[in-house]
Amino acid sequence: MTQTQTNPRNIFLVDDDAEDRELFSEALSQVDESARLTEISSCFTLMETLDNPEIPKPDIIFLDMDMPKFSGLECLKKLKASNKIQNLKIVVLSTYSHPQYVDEAYKNGASCYYVKPSRFPKLKEVISDALQGNWKKRIKNKRNFVVNYSGS
């Protein structure tokens, strides 16, 4: 599923946890070795990065929900209010799958909501699934919005 070197994907990962970012980076490199990953530790930094004309815009943003100061949900709301979300694919990747978080993420423009898996091979499946856009086939309504690879 690797893209050609002439057109690598620009991927943003917004997660305050350095270990989670490191695991994601390693998994992404095994799923799509040509992808360019920008690791971002906060919503504030994401907004600054999106405003910077020197940084290529992302093809997809993976967004954690549980972050200090501005949660992933608050970040989604800021993106939606600023119209920065219009053509962005935003994939929530979070340990939380509480119905309230899911509902709000859905209402505020997230493309899909993946529950963070606890095993590395499952994380690679999540990344691959999201990059292939497989969630587009499933999400016809909110009931199919959450994807959980955490089992087995």
Side-chain angles (χ1 to χ4, degrees), residues 84-144:
K84 292 178 187 194
I85 199 173
Q86 286 184 330
N87 293 315
L88 288 178
K89 294 176 198 99
I90 300 177
V91 173
V92 173
L93 183 59
S94 183
T95 53
Y96 294 125
S97 61
H98 188 278
Q100 180 182 349
Y101 287 111
V102 173
D103 287 344
E104 290 297 316
Y106 184 81
K107 289 176 192 173
N108 285 285
S111 302
C112 188
Y113 197 114
Y114 287 90
V115 177
K116 272 186 190 174
S118 57
R119 295 180 42 219
F120 188 75
K122 293 294 183 183
L123 178 59
K124 289 182 355 183
E125 286 182 45
V126 164
I127 293 169
S128 179
D129 192 63
L131 293 179
Q132 291 176 34
N134 289 340
W135 44 268
K136 292 177 192 174
K137 299 171 194 161
R138 282 192 299 272
I139 300 176
K140 300 192 180 13
N141 58 47
K142 188 173 61 172
R143 191 171 47 126
N144 299 327

Side-chain angles (χ1 to χ4, degrees), residues 8-24:
R9 272 184 246 253
N10 289 314
I11 298 170
F12 285 10
L13 171 63
V14 185
D15 194 323
D16 65 305
D17 188 306
E19 288 180 19
D20 283 354
R21 291 193 311 267
E22 186 177 328
L23 278 174
F24 184 95

Side-chain angles (χ1 to χ4, degrees), residues 52-71:
N52 186 338
E54 295 178 16
I55 297 175
K57 297 299 177 234
D59 297 304
I60 189 168
I61 296 173
F62 287 87
L63 178 65
D64 184 29
M65 280 282 119
D66 184 30
M67 294 187 290
K69 296 184 183 171
F70 291 108
S71 70

